[in-house]
Each structure stands twice: as structure tokens, then as C-alpha cells.
Amino acid sequence: MKRGRWKRDSGKRRGETWRAQRLGVAVLERGTLPARAAHRIRMGILVGDFRPGERLPPMRALAAEFEISLASLREAIAQLRGEGFVDVRHGIGCFVVRRARRARALKAATRRAARREAAELRIVIDPAVAGIAARRRTAAGVRDLLGATWEREAARRSGDPGAYVDADIEFHARVAAAARGPIGVAAHRFASMTLRPLVQANAGELAGDDRLATLHRTLADAVADGRPMRAVRAARAIAWIETQPPRPP
């Protein structure tokens, strides 16, 4: 490692580090101190400023560079280790992982980010679509939705996670279809693309959730009865429950 890599540039304003200037990355204004530190180290790895197999500077040097405590820096390193960017060798130091593993970690992080975004979109989109469905309902749409509600209930009692996931997706597709028009079509496509991994990751627990089953029946009844606000509340509660990450075993 080149000497002086971590020294400050005295000609720059206080608090802006040499590394942030070199990478062209502004220090994050939001997020916890460990998250900011993890972000800066991650960026350095991704742009090649830290080479695969290279040892990072000592913890105290990094903490002083980022102007954070050792505890915050250890939390940042733990996060990067969990993401697969660094490997901690106790008594030796912290090393950047080899390229193959780093690429896998980056893909995994991208997938997690995509799932988080899909979950956030569901919480916004599903209630809006449910309200529209309650206002635009037709006899045929209500019949299909009530049938999907019955099939979902049967699937959750069957003990088959795959059948449950399929039935749950079909239920939400029927709600979207009941909304009719471009919004219904867009919501249907969104459900088909993003709902499966969100539900499948926690299918066993969701299938056994009696409150969730009641909320689905409430949503179907609200659409059938033409009660938009009741449908919106039920859909929001369902989206919140179904997008929570799986509980650790």
C-alpha cells in the first residue's frame, strides 16, 4: 500500500477526506455512521481502489479517517463481511475478498435491493388498486375475486407452500383485474413479476397467519360491497405483512 494514502489534503475543506475526493463520492448525509463508513469502503472496493486480496488499513486508522468510533467502524466491517466484500482474519486484519466472491456478493446485494424496492412499491400500489377495484367492480370481477379467495384459503390449509404462493398471487391478480383499465393491467403485471419472491420467502409463516387470511377475506368483501376505504385499509395491512423479511430460524 502506498505511503500517505490515508493522509488528508489540507487544501480541502475540513471533513472531506482524500479518498472521497479521489472517488468523486460525496459523504452520505443520511444513514447511520456505520452505514456511511460501509458505503465508502464498499465504493472503494467496487471501483478498484482496494484490490482483491489487499488488506485494509488498520481499524484505528480507518476510524480516524472516517471520524467515527471503533465500535461504529466494527459495525461497518461486520456489514461488509455479511455482504461478502471483506474477510476478517482475527489477529491479522481485514482483507478484500477475491473477485469471484465479490461479484456474487454484489449480485446478492442487488437482488436484496430489488426486493426492498418491490416491497415498498407494493405498500403504495396495492391499496390504491384495491380502492379502484371497489369503485369499478363488476359482477364478473367480484365472482372471480371471491373464487380466488376460496382457492387461497383452501391452498393455505393444504400445507403445500407452492400451492399457497400460486393461490395468493392469483388472489392479488383478481383484485388488479377488478380495477380494470390501465392501472389494473399494470398492477397485474407488477404482481406477476415481483410478488412471488416476496411471498415465497416466507410462505410457511404467511400461510399459517390467521389474521392475514381474515384480511384477504375482508378485502374481497370490501371490493364486492363497493367500500373503497375498507378495501384500501385491508390491502395496506396485507402488503405490510407480506413484505416483511422472513424471521430467523
Side-chain angles (χ1 to χ4, degrees):
M1 185 176 63
K2 294 181 179 179
R3 184 173 299 177
R5 166 183 265 181
W6 292 90
K7 289 184 179 180
R8 297 181 183 276
D9 183 344
S10 59
K12 299 293 182 180
R13 60 185 173 85
R14 182 182 179 186
E16 186 178 21
T17 64
W18 177 90
R19 184 168 300 281
Q21 297 159 26
R22 176 176 175 181
L23 294 177
V25 178
V27 178
L28 296 178
E29 296 297 332
R30 291 179 293 181
T32 63
L33 291 175
R36 297 183 201 176
H39 170 77
R40 291 172 62 180
I41 296 172
R42 188 186 302 109
M43 288 300 298
I45 293 172
L46 292 176
V47 302
D49 200 50
F50 293 120
R51 296 183 298 276
E54 180 182 354
R55 185 171 65 180
L56 296 180
M59 297 282 281
R60 291 188 181 278
L62 282 174
E65 176 67 21
F66 296 156
E67 297 182 343
I68 61 175
S69 67
L70 280 173
S72 293
L73 181 62
R74 290 191 186 100
E75 188 175 338
I77 294 296
Q79 179 181 335
L80 293 170
R81 184 182 185 185
E83 293 174 359
F85 283 99
V86 300
D87 186 23
V88 178
R89 304 174 192 174
H90 295 289
I92 301 177
C94 183
F95 293 79
V96 179
V97 298
R98 297 296 176 182
R99 289 190 184 277
R101 184 181 170 195
R102 189 176 72 192
R104 290 195 300 270
L106 183 57
K107 289 180 180 178
T110 301
R111 286 195 299 269
R112 287 194 296 271
R115 290 186 181 183
R116 284 196 300 271
E117 290 176 1
E120 292 169 356
L121 284 172
R122 273 204 67 195
I123 293 172
V124 173
I125 292 174
D126 283 13
V129 171
I132 294 171
R135 288 191 293 270
R136 295 182 177 177
R137 73 197 188 286
T138 63
V142 168
R143 184 173 60 250
D144 289 344
L145 177 56
L146 293 178
T149 307
W150 182 89
E151 290 175 1
R152 182 188 180 281
E153 183 64 19
R156 91 178 188 96
R157 293 180 182 277
S158 71
D160 183 347
Y164 168 78
V165 172
D166 289 339
D168 191 73
I169 291 173
E170 181 62 22
F171 173 89
H172 290 285
R174 290 304 97 202
V175 175
R180 298 186 291 158
I183 288 188
V185 173
H188 188 178
R189 289 177 179 171
F190 175 78
S192 299
M193 290 187 297
T194 64
L195 188 59
R196 182 175 295 276
L198 293 173
V199 176
Q200 200 163 20
N202 207 14
E205 185 173 342
L206 294 175
D209 191 330
D210 292 335
R211 177 171 176 263
L212 185 60
T214 299
L215 285 168
H216 278 79
R217 292 193 294 270
T218 300
L219 173 54
D221 290 341
V223 172
D225 296 339
R227 302 178 64 180
M229 293 309 300
R230 185 174 177 84
V232 166
R233 288 194 294 270
R236 183 179 294 116
I238 290 169
W240 177 257
I241 293 172
E242 289 190 341
T243 56
Q244 294 305 299
R247 295 180 182 177

